[in-house]
Amino acid sequence: MFRSLHIKLTMILLLLITSLMAVVGAFLTTSVSSFYINTFYEQINDVFSQSTFLNSLRRVAPESDAATQIQKMVDANAGALGIDYRTRNYYILDASGAYLTGSDDEGGQSLESTANLLAAENGNVGDESDITADYMDAAIPITDGTADSDVLYIIYFLDSKGTVSDLNSRLFMIIVQALIIGLLISLLLSFLLSKAMVGPIEKLTAGAEKVAAGDFGSKLPVESSDEIGVLTGTFNDMAGVLQETLAAVENERNKLDTLFLHMTDGVVAFDHDGLLIHSNPAATTMLGRELGQGCTYDELFADVYPFSQMLSLQRPNYAEGELQIDGRSLELYLAPFSSDQESGGVLIVVHDVTEQHRNEERRKEFVANVSHELRTPLTNVRSYAETLRDAGDDIPRETADSFLDIIMTETDRMTSIVQDLLTLSRLDAGNAEMNLSRFPFRDAIESVSRANALECKRRCQEFTCIAPDDLPLITGDRSRLEQVMMNIIGNAIKYTPDGGHIGVTAGTTEEKVWMEVSDDGIGIPEKDRERIFDRFYRVDKARSRQYGGTGLGLSIAKEIVDRHHGTIRIVPKHTPGTTIRLTLPIHQDPAD
Ligand code: ADP
């Protein structure tokens, strides 16, 4: 209940009332005193300025019972002189100041010699007032009225200020009572005032506490149009703006969080002490370790760029670096994110360039392979053509024919390489059109098997084809899929010695059809199995070339199968030879 504002208000009001009463009291008592003194001297002056009264006094002064007559005359004017015979008395003294008679015999015996009395003894009217004295007096010298006559009597008025003291005491009591009532009223007032003022402020404080706790929803009621009402309205507006701003900031933060979470580049941030403050999943994957609390810059990137130098970099400058982790090539962009020492730190964007490097390598390798594959037949063609030209008619007809045969074979080889490259480049560019149709999978297998049967026979190889009658229709580019089958079966024949066995089987699983081509030929060594779908990759270059192979057949097959959303792979087996399995979906999504 006794909030500080309440106490302050009460104290202010109490102080105000007390000081007001003190001032009023002091003013009143002083005024009353000076009024009383002034009245005292005015009354005496009024009476003694009457010439008839003064002349009467002077006339009786020389007489023997002058003191008694003077007393009578003064008594007659007692009312006008304010003599109450209690606090104010008069004394008739002789010229030396000795008491003769008066209104107070007892007091008259012990009169003090005051300045006014001395003045009267010297023949002057003693009416000097002294506000500090606890009495007031006046002394009037009485002569016989002739010039230079001596003072015969002195009428001395003495007021003990009892009345004024009583009055002042009464006043003081009234002021004390007023002060007590005033204090009580001020207490009540301060309570009511503080209730009226502190109430809305308390509500405002409660509202501010709610806002500080994050509750922006509740609005404070504006109950008045005074300053507190205006403040409450402004507070409501401020809370609204704060809510909107926070929502916008939250929204931005969510966006950034989502961005960080799903971006393919890794992002890692360190504070100015080099301690990890943020990382995204991509960074964890790329750096190949858990990025938890306590992880430091120096543990991860000290070799790339010293942390202290990073912090001293001026924005927008940044540093670049590279890192090799678990066979992955990482490109790093390091930048300070604030020039402020306290809130500063370093942000690192990690970009995985492994695939890029690998592709670059593959591209170089591919270009080298193409050059090499074309140069060999070209060299052959050129050397045989030169020999034919140089020999002229000297060369026997059969030799010339065999040379020409070689030239034609090499030319055919170059043509098939160029054709294969063209097919691949069209497939790569995505503009090799697929003529999709529904056709029986079994028909395609039989047609390719028939085309190869003759070659098998020529090489005394046993060829078997077991395909169930109920193989379904599939959707695909029949001629390209037959090209794939031709390549697989052709390879099986090529890489199986004469007299070997080639078997084709087919079947259905769920929504897919499959075809397996097995042979008991030379097989593919374990280490090469991964790479035989690479362009120009051949296990045995000489042997492949001997059979007219370009090393592009399986890569083209893989591209075609990929375009049909199928798979082509080597089936692991323990018996000699190779088994290649082709799987294709029965239906193709026309949208693809
Ligand atoms: P190529 O025109 O040289 O046959 P492919 O791309 O068709 O090219 O085959 C790539 C390589 O895979 C071949 O050079 C060969 O070494 C190997 N290969 C493919 N099929 C077989 C198989 N059935 N038996 C053994 N080796 C095979």
Side-chain angles (χ1 to χ4, degrees):
M1 149 138 191
F2 287 105
R3 299 284 162 95
S4 64
L5 196 62
H6 182 89
I7 291 173
K8 275 181 200 163
L9 262 173
T10 313
M11 293 307 287
I12 289 169
L13 278 173
L14 291 185
L15 221 76
L16 201 76
I17 296 286
T18 316
S19 50
L20 198 71
M21 284 302 170
V23 171
V24 168
F27 180 74
L28 269 180
T29 47
T30 319
S31 300
V32 166
S33 295
S34 34
F35 174 76
Y36 195 76
I37 293 170
N38 289 342
T39 311
F40 172 73
Y41 289 107
E42 269 170 23
Q43 281 174 325
I44 291 168
N45 192 40
D46 284 351
V47 172
F48 284 93
S49 59
Q50 294 170 27
S51 53
T52 46
F53 180 66
L54 203 60
N55 288 338
S56 308
L57 286 172
R58 284 175 181 162
R59 199 176 51 245
V60 297
E63 292 174 16
S64 57
D65 60 342
T68 320
Q69 288 196 57
I70 292 171
Q71 184 179 15
K72 279 184 187 161
M73 290 168 79
V74 174
D75 275 339
N77 284 284
L81 290 164
I83 291 163
D84 56 6
Y85 306 100
R86 195 175 52 81
T87 59
R88 189 180 296 181
N89 286 293
Y90 69 90
Y91 307 93
I92 297 165
L93 315 175
D94 63 13
S96 63
Y99 176 72
L100 299 174
T101 184
S103 59
D104 171 28
D105 289 336
E106 196 183 325
Q109 303 305 326
S110 55
L111 285 177
E112 282 176 26
S113 174
T114 65
N116 284 335
L117 202 54
L118 285 173
E121 284 170 15
N122 292 325
N124 300 316
V125 175
D127 60 353
E128 284 302 312
S129 67
D130 180 5
I131 199 157
T132 55
D134 56 356
Y135 64 91
M136 46 189 185
D137 64 344
I140 313 291
I142 305 293
T143 59
D144 59 3
T146 56
D148 296 332
S149 61
D150 291 332
V151 176
L152 298 175
Y153 296 97
I154 294 168
I155 307 175
Y156 182 59
F157 297 96
L158 181 67
D159 190 310
S160 65
K161 279 191 178 173
T163 311
V164 77
S165 300
D166 285 353
L167 206 63
N168 278 343
S169 307
R170 294 280 300 272
L171 264 178
F172 182 73
M173 285 315 292
I174 290 169
I175 286 168
V176 167
Q177 282 168 6
L179 183 68
I180 291 169
I181 294 170
L183 289 181
L184 286 175
I185 291 174
S186 72
L187 270 177
L188 189 76
L189 258 178
S190 71
F191 177 74
L192 291 175
L193 253 175
S194 73
K195 221 174 143 48
M197 283 172 65
V198 176
I201 292 174
E202 273 180 345
K203 280 185 193 165
L204 210 61
T205 311
E209 276 166 2
K210 270 189 185 175
V211 169
D215 174 13
F216 300 97
S218 49
K219 291 256 176 236
L220 296 176
V222 181
E223 286 165 352
S224 59
S225 57
D226 57 8
E227 284 83 350
I228 299 239
V230 173
L231 183 65
T232 311
T234 314
F235 179 82
N236 282 339
D237 293 347
M238 188 199 72
V241 172
L242 204 64
Q243 185 176 18
E244 279 169 24
T245 313
L246 274 181
V249 170
E250 181 73 15
N251 195 19
E252 284 304 310
R253 215 191 63 185
N254 286 345
K255 269 195 235 167
L256 273 180
D257 277 354
T258 315
L259 186 78
F260 279 150
L261 200 66
H262 298 293
M263 69 191 287
T264 47
D265 280 346
V267 178
V268 198
F270 296 92
D271 65 11
H272 64 282
D273 292 325
L275 279 172
L276 183 92
I277 49 173
H278 189 89
S279 70
N280 67 348
T284 311
T285 315
M286 286 180 200
L287 296 170
R289 55 170 287 179
E290 270 306 311
L291 298 173
Q293 266 186 350
C295 197
T296 64
Y297 176 94
D298 286 342
E299 279 172 38
L300 295 161
F301 306 112
D303 298 340
V304 183
Y305 211 91
F307 187 67
S308 51
Q309 283 185 32
M310 256 334 294
L311 282 181
S312 56
L313 263 186
Q314 288 299 313
R315 288 196 309 154
N317 290 339
Y318 64 94
E320 286 181 44
E322 273 191 21
L323 207 60
Q324 297 289 331
I325 291 180
D326 301 338
R328 270 198 302 271
S329 308
L330 304 177
E331 223 167 59
L332 308 175
Y333 297 89
L334 309 94
F337 57 76
S338 168
S339 42
D340 178 26
Q341 267 293 314
E342 281 305 302
S343 58
V346 176
L347 190 80
I348 297 156
V349 178
V350 188
H351 188 53
D352 192 340
V353 289
T354 317
E355 197 56 30
Q356 207 172 308
H357 283 184
R358 219 172 270 161
N359 284 343
E360 186 62 18
E361 283 303 312
R362 281 194 194 133
R363 195 189 60 78
K364 282 184 193 157
E365 199 182 324
F366 181 73
V367 171
N369 279 333
V370 171
S371 320
H372 179 76
E373 291 302 324
L374 290 177
R375 201 172 51 229
T376 315
L378 269 175
T379 315
N380 282 344
V381 167
R382 188 184 163 83
S383 57
Y384 283 106
E386 256 178 11
T387 315
L388 279 175
R389 191 195 62 193
D390 293 348
D393 293 338
D394 299 344
I395 192 163
R397 180 74 216 163
E398 301 82 50
T399 316
D401 282 347
S402 74
F403 280 14
L404 285 171
D405 280 346
I406 292 170
I407 289 174
M408 280 173 70
T409 312
E410 293 295 350
T411 320
D412 287 348
R413 191 175 152 65
M414 281 194 290
T415 311
S416 70
I417 290 176
V418 171
Q419 251 164 9
D420 282 354
L421 283 174
L422 262 173
T423 310
L424 265 176
S425 98
R426 281 203 199 107
L427 286 166
D428 282 347
N431 55 13
E433 230 172 75
M434 295 283 145
N435 294 319
L436 295 188
S437 62
R438 292 285 287 167
F439 65 92
F441 188 50
R442 192 171 194 280
D443 279 10
I445 296 173
E446 277 180 351
S447 140
V448 177
S449 299
R450 260 197 312 277
N452 282 290
L454 203 67
E455 177 65 6
C456 278
K457 205 169 180 186
R458 194 181 65 76
R459 297 192 50 194
C460 307
Q461 288 167 333
E462 189 190 343
F463 185 87
T464 51
C465 177
I466 306 165
D469 291 337
D470 60 350
L471 275 180
L473 294 173
I474 65 161
T475 307
D477 185 327
R478 179 167 180 164
S479 74
R480 286 190 195 273
L481 287 176
E482 282 186 358
Q483 184 187 345
V484 173
M485 293 174 186
M486 274 300 264
N487 184 269
I488 304 172
I489 298 173
N491 277 349
I493 297 170
K494 265 196 284 183
Y495 301 109
T496 301
D498 293 358
H501 174 259
I502 286 109
V504 177
T505 50
T508 324
T509 50
E510 293 169 0
E511 286 293 282
K512 288 175 181 149
V513 288
W514 58 267
M515 179 189 97
E516 269 186 13
V517 179
S518 306
D519 63 61
D520 52 3
I522 58 169
I524 303 169
E526 189 75 43
K527 65 174 174 55
D528 297 303
R529 287 187 184 172
E530 278 254 305
R531 300 202 58 193
I532 61 157
F533 296 101
D534 289 355
R535 291 164 193 197
F536 290 114
Y537 192 82
R538 284 163 295 188
V539 177
D540 182 344
K541 281 200 168 63
R543 190 173 189 142
S544 165
R545 197 169 289 135
Q546 182 193 330
Y547 290 115
T550 58
L552 292 170
L554 280 181
S555 32
I556 293 174
K558 184 158 181 0
E559 290 292 337
I560 293 171
V561 173
D562 281 349
R563 291 287 295 271
H564 282 83
H565 308 289
T567 55
I568 179 167
R569 62 184 177 89
I570 300 171
V571 180
K573 65 174 193 174
H574 301 294
T575 51
T578 309
T579 300
I580 305 266
R581 183 182 173 99
L582 167 71
T583 312
L584 291 165
I586 293 170
H587 300 284
Q588 293 289 332
D589 185 353
D592 291 335

